[in-house]
Amino acid sequence: HFVSAGFDGCIYLWDVEGVELYRWEIPSRVQDLCITHNGKHMLVVDFERNVRVIDILGRRVLPPLPESDAVTSVCASALREELLVNIARQVSSAQHEPVIRLWDLAARGVVQRFLGHSQSRFVVRSCFGGPREEFVCSGSEDAKVYIWHRHYGALLQVLAGHKETVNSVCWVHGTSWLVSAADDCTLRVWSAAGPGAAPAIVEDEEAAPPDQGASPGPGGSPLAARSQSSP
Protein backbone atom coordinates (compact mmCIF):
# COMPACT_ATOMS: atom_id res chain seq x y z
CA HIS A 1 0.00 0.00 0.00
CA PHE A 2 0.96 3.65 -0.35
CA VAL A 3 -0.59 7.04 0.41
CA SER A 4 -0.86 10.33 -1.47
CA ALA A 5 -2.14 13.78 -0.54
CA GLY A 6 -2.28 17.34 -1.80
CA PHE A 7 -3.79 20.78 -1.54
CA ASP A 8 -7.39 19.49 -1.68
CA GLY A 9 -7.19 18.22 1.92
CA CYS A 10 -7.70 14.59 0.88
CA ILE A 11 -5.38 11.76 1.85
CA TYR A 12 -5.71 8.59 -0.20
CA LEU A 13 -4.70 5.04 0.68
CA TRP A 14 -3.98 2.96 -2.44
CA ASP A 15 -2.90 -0.54 -3.28
CA VAL A 16 -0.09 -1.12 -5.77
CA GLU A 17 -2.62 -1.68 -8.57
CA GLY A 18 -3.90 1.88 -8.17
CA VAL A 19 -7.17 0.96 -6.45
CA GLU A 20 -8.35 3.46 -3.84
CA LEU A 21 -8.79 1.69 -0.51
CA TYR A 22 -9.71 4.60 1.73
CA ARG A 23 -9.83 8.38 1.84
CA TRP A 24 -9.45 10.77 4.75
CA GLU A 25 -10.56 14.38 4.46
CA ILE A 26 -9.08 17.10 6.65
CA PRO A 27 -10.10 20.79 6.62
CA SER A 28 -6.73 21.93 5.32
CA ARG A 29 -4.28 21.22 2.53
CA VAL A 30 -1.52 18.75 3.30
CA GLN A 31 2.03 20.11 3.51
CA ASP A 32 3.87 16.86 4.29
CA LEU A 33 3.27 13.33 5.60
CA CYS A 34 5.08 10.16 6.60
CA ILE A 35 4.27 6.69 7.94
CA THR A 36 5.73 4.98 11.02
CA HIS A 37 8.02 1.97 10.67
CA ASN A 38 5.28 -0.54 11.54
CA GLY A 39 2.80 0.93 9.06
CA LYS A 40 0.23 1.65 11.76
CA HIS A 41 0.24 5.45 11.95
CA MET A 42 0.50 8.34 9.52
CA LEU A 43 1.83 11.76 10.57
CA VAL A 44 0.39 14.65 8.56
CA VAL A 45 1.48 18.29 8.52
CA ASP A 46 -1.48 20.50 7.61
CA PHE A 47 -1.60 24.10 6.36
CA GLU A 48 -1.72 25.39 9.94
CA ARG A 49 1.56 23.47 10.45
CA ASN A 50 0.03 21.09 13.01
CA VAL A 51 1.05 17.42 13.14
CA ARG A 52 -2.05 15.28 12.81
CA VAL A 53 -1.93 11.58 13.69
CA ILE A 54 -3.98 9.03 11.74
CA ASP A 55 -4.53 5.39 12.71
CA ILE A 56 -4.21 3.72 9.30
CA LEU A 57 -5.51 0.30 10.35
CA GLY A 58 -8.39 1.67 12.41
CA ARG A 59 -9.13 4.45 9.85
CA ARG A 60 -9.30 6.94 12.74
CA VAL A 61 -7.95 10.45 13.28
CA LEU A 62 -6.16 10.57 16.64
CA PRO A 63 -5.24 13.61 18.78
CA PRO A 64 -2.43 15.66 17.15
CA LEU A 65 1.07 15.85 18.58
CA PRO A 66 1.31 18.71 21.10
CA GLU A 67 3.89 20.60 19.03
CA SER A 68 4.08 24.24 20.10
CA ASP A 69 5.63 25.70 16.91
CA ALA A 70 4.77 25.66 13.22
CA VAL A 71 6.08 22.49 11.57
CA THR A 72 7.47 22.55 8.01
CA SER A 73 8.35 18.87 7.45
CA VAL A 74 8.45 15.48 9.17
CA CYS A 75 10.44 12.25 8.84
CA ALA A 76 9.59 8.95 10.57
CA SER A 77 12.20 6.49 11.77
CA ALA A 78 12.46 3.18 9.90
CA LEU A 79 13.48 1.36 13.10
CA ARG A 80 11.63 2.80 16.09
CA GLU A 81 8.70 4.94 17.21
CA GLU A 82 10.46 8.25 16.58
CA LEU A 83 9.79 11.29 14.43
CA LEU A 84 11.91 14.21 13.24
CA VAL A 85 10.09 17.54 13.09
CA ASN A 86 11.62 20.57 11.34
CA ILE A 87 10.81 24.02 12.77
CA ALA A 88 11.86 27.12 10.83
CA ARG A 89 13.14 30.35 12.39
CA GLN A 90 10.14 32.38 13.57
CA VAL A 91 10.56 35.98 14.67
CA SER A 92 6.98 36.23 15.92
CA SER A 93 7.21 33.32 18.39
CA ALA A 94 9.41 32.11 21.22
CA GLN A 95 11.26 29.87 18.72
CA HIS A 96 13.75 32.40 17.32
CA GLU A 97 16.18 29.89 15.77
CA PRO A 98 15.49 26.90 13.53
CA VAL A 99 15.42 23.56 15.32
CA ILE A 100 14.83 19.89 14.55
CA ARG A 101 13.00 18.06 17.31
CA LEU A 102 13.13 14.32 17.90
CA TRP A 103 9.78 13.03 19.12
CA ASP A 104 9.18 9.77 20.97
CA LEU A 105 5.78 8.87 19.53
CA ALA A 106 4.95 6.33 22.24
CA ALA A 107 5.65 8.83 25.03
CA ARG A 108 4.32 11.75 22.90
CA GLY A 109 7.23 13.94 23.98
CA VAL A 110 10.42 15.56 22.66
CA VAL A 111 13.57 13.63 23.61
CA GLN A 112 16.25 15.60 21.72
CA ARG A 113 16.83 18.84 19.80
CA PHE A 114 19.27 19.58 16.98
CA LEU A 115 20.56 23.11 16.37
CA GLY A 116 23.03 24.96 14.15
CA HIS A 117 21.53 24.79 10.66
CA SER A 118 19.72 27.61 8.84
CA GLN A 119 16.02 27.65 7.92
CA SER A 120 13.69 30.64 7.67
CA ARG A 121 12.18 31.03 4.18
CA PHE A 122 12.07 27.56 2.64
CA VAL A 123 11.05 24.01 3.46
CA VAL A 124 14.16 22.10 4.55
CA ARG A 125 13.96 18.37 5.21
CA SER A 126 15.84 16.11 7.58
CA CYS A 127 16.33 12.35 7.85
CA PHE A 128 17.78 9.62 10.03
CA GLY A 129 21.16 8.26 8.91
CA GLY A 130 23.47 5.33 9.52
CA PRO A 131 22.77 1.58 9.69
CA ARG A 132 21.26 1.94 13.17
CA GLU A 133 20.00 5.49 12.59
CA GLU A 134 22.67 6.86 14.91
CA PHE A 135 22.76 10.12 12.95
CA VAL A 136 20.33 12.91 12.13
CA CYS A 137 21.00 14.71 8.83
CA SER A 138 19.47 17.89 7.45
CA GLY A 139 19.70 20.35 4.63
CA SER A 140 20.13 24.05 5.32
CA GLU A 141 19.63 27.45 3.71
CA ASP A 142 23.37 28.17 4.00
CA ALA A 143 24.01 25.56 1.25
CA LYS A 144 25.44 22.98 3.66
CA VAL A 145 24.45 19.57 5.03
CA TYR A 146 24.45 19.09 8.81
CA ILE A 147 24.95 15.81 10.69
CA TRP A 148 24.26 15.32 14.42
CA HIS A 149 24.47 12.40 16.82
CA ARG A 150 20.89 11.24 17.28
CA HIS A 151 21.14 10.33 20.96
CA TYR A 152 23.40 13.11 22.27
CA GLY A 153 22.35 15.92 19.90
CA ALA A 154 25.98 16.90 19.24
CA LEU A 155 26.80 18.43 15.85
CA LEU A 156 29.29 16.04 14.21
CA GLN A 157 29.86 17.39 10.72
CA VAL A 158 28.96 20.24 8.36
CA LEU A 159 29.33 19.25 4.69
CA ALA A 160 30.05 22.00 2.18
CA GLY A 161 29.70 21.54 -1.57
CA HIS A 162 26.36 22.89 -2.77
CA LYS A 163 26.03 26.50 -3.89
CA GLU A 164 22.41 27.18 -2.85
CA THR A 165 19.84 26.03 -0.29
CA VAL A 166 19.94 22.29 0.41
CA ASN A 167 16.26 21.33 0.50
CA SER A 168 16.34 17.61 1.12
CA VAL A 169 18.58 14.78 2.31
CA CYS A 170 18.13 11.02 2.22
CA TRP A 171 20.21 8.19 3.66
CA VAL A 172 20.11 5.17 1.33
CA HIS A 173 19.22 2.23 3.58
CA GLY A 174 21.63 -0.69 3.45
CA THR A 175 24.48 1.53 2.24
CA SER A 176 26.82 4.22 3.61
CA TRP A 177 25.47 6.83 1.19
CA LEU A 178 23.81 10.13 2.01
CA VAL A 179 22.18 11.98 -0.91
CA SER A 180 21.52 15.74 -0.77
CA ALA A 181 19.48 17.85 -3.21
CA ALA A 182 19.75 21.62 -3.56
CA ASP A 183 18.44 24.64 -5.44
CA ASP A 184 21.68 24.72 -7.47
CA CYS A 185 20.12 21.86 -9.53
CA THR A 186 22.58 19.24 -8.28
CA LEU A 187 22.41 16.01 -6.32
CA ARG A 188 25.43 15.27 -4.17
CA VAL A 189 26.26 11.77 -2.95
CA TRP A 190 28.27 11.49 0.27
CA SER A 191 29.84 8.15 1.18
CA ALA A 192 31.24 7.01 4.54
CA ALA A 193 34.21 4.68 4.90
CA GLY A 194 32.41 2.05 6.97
CA PRO A 195 29.44 1.25 9.22
CA GLY A 196 28.84 4.03 11.72
CA ALA A 197 31.47 6.29 10.17
CA ALA A 198 30.75 9.99 9.89
CA PRO A 199 33.75 11.87 11.30
CA ALA A 200 36.20 13.38 8.79
CA ILE A 201 35.02 14.75 5.47
CA VAL A 202 36.86 15.16 2.20
CA GLU A 203 35.04 16.86 -0.65
CA ASP A 204 35.63 15.62 -4.18
CA GLU A 205 35.92 17.96 -7.14
CA GLU A 206 32.81 18.84 -9.12
CA ALA A 207 31.76 16.08 -11.47
CA ALA A 208 32.30 16.47 -15.19
CA PRO A 209 29.24 16.74 -17.45
CA PRO A 210 27.33 13.42 -17.63
CA ASP A 211 28.67 12.49 -21.09
CA GLN A 212 32.30 12.97 -20.00
CA GLY A 213 32.19 10.88 -16.86
CA ALA A 214 33.28 11.82 -13.35
CA SER A 215 36.67 11.45 -11.72
CA PRO A 216 36.84 9.10 -8.72
CA GLY A 217 37.03 10.43 -5.20
CA PRO A 218 40.29 10.44 -3.26
CA GLY A 219 41.22 6.95 -2.10
CA GLY A 220 40.93 6.16 1.57
CA SER A 221 38.83 9.21 2.45
CA PRO A 222 36.61 8.58 5.50
CA LEU A 223 33.80 10.53 3.84
CA ALA A 224 33.87 11.73 0.25
CA ALA A 225 31.40 13.38 -2.08
CA ARG A 226 30.76 13.78 -5.75
CA SER A 227 27.98 15.68 -7.47
CA GLN A 228 26.28 15.72 -10.82
CA SER A 229 23.62 18.03 -12.20
CA SER A 230 20.19 16.45 -12.07
CA PRO A 231 18.43 15.94 -15.42
Side-chain angles (χ1 to χ4, degrees):
H1 300 162
F2 66 96
V3 295
S4 65
F7 288 171
D8 61 357
C10 294
I11 305 169
Y12 296 90
L13 177 66
W14 310 86
D15 67 13
V16 293
E17 302 297 329
V19 177
E20 179 185 327
L21 302 177
Y22 196 78
R23 179 176 66 181
W24 294 270
E25 295 184 8
I26 63 174
S28 172
R29 70 186 190 186
V30 176
Q31 300 287 100
D32 197 13
L33 60 79
C34 62
I35 296 176
T36 55
H37 72 104
N38 54 18
K40 293 182 178 179
H41 296 101
M42 177 165 43
L43 292 308
V44 180
V45 181
D46 63 21
F47 187 61
E48 285 74 35
R49 308 295 175 88
N50 301 310
V51 181
R52 298 173 181 264
V53 183
I54 294 178
D55 178 354
I56 297 177
L57 302 180
R59 309 290 198 258
R60 298 178 300 142
V61 178
L62 304 177
L65 289 184
E67 177 57 71
S68 58
D69 293 297
V71 176
T72 60
S73 65
V74 289
C75 176
S77 167
L79 300 178
R80 44 183 82 86
E81 289 288 289
E82 293 182 344
L83 179 75
L84 292 174
V85 171
N86 276 57
I87 308 291
R89 178 177 181 270
Q90 300 171 57
V91 178
S92 59
S93 73
Q95 181 57 49
H96 296 302
E97 297 300 328
V99 61
I100 301 169
R101 292 178 180 143
L102 176 64
W103 279 80
D104 181 325
L105 295 175
R108 292 178 64 84
V110 176
V111 294
Q112 191 53 270
R113 293 170 175 80
F114 309 96
L115 302 166
H117 65 299
S118 174
Q119 182 186 4
S120 59
R121 299 174 54 202
F122 305 114
V123 173
V124 170
R125 301 182 184 279
S126 59
C127 73
F128 293 92
R132 296 176 300 278
E133 294 189 345
E134 56 267 53
F135 307 126
V136 167
C137 313
S138 178
S140 178
E141 290 183 11
D142 62 3
K144 296 180 176 65
V145 176
Y146 287 72
I147 302 177
W148 298 267
H149 192 284
R150 180 186 60 84
H151 181 72
Y152 296 107
L155 180 62
L156 300 177
Q157 291 294 334
V158 179
L159 310 179
H162 287 290
K163 297 179 175 63
E164 296 184 30
T165 296
V166 181
N167 309 106
S168 186
V169 291
C170 177
W171 191 280
V172 183
H173 291 289
T175 74
S176 58
W177 295 351
L178 174 68
V179 181
S180 55
D183 281 348
D184 58 10
C185 299
T186 65
L187 297 175
R188 187 168 286 264
V189 180
W190 308 87
S191 60
I201 290 157
V202 178
E203 184 191 349
D204 194 2
E205 60 187 282
E206 286 289 321
D211 59 347
Q212 298 180 23
S215 59
S221 300
L223 195 62
R226 58 183 178 181
S227 64
Q228 177 174 316
S229 297
S230 57

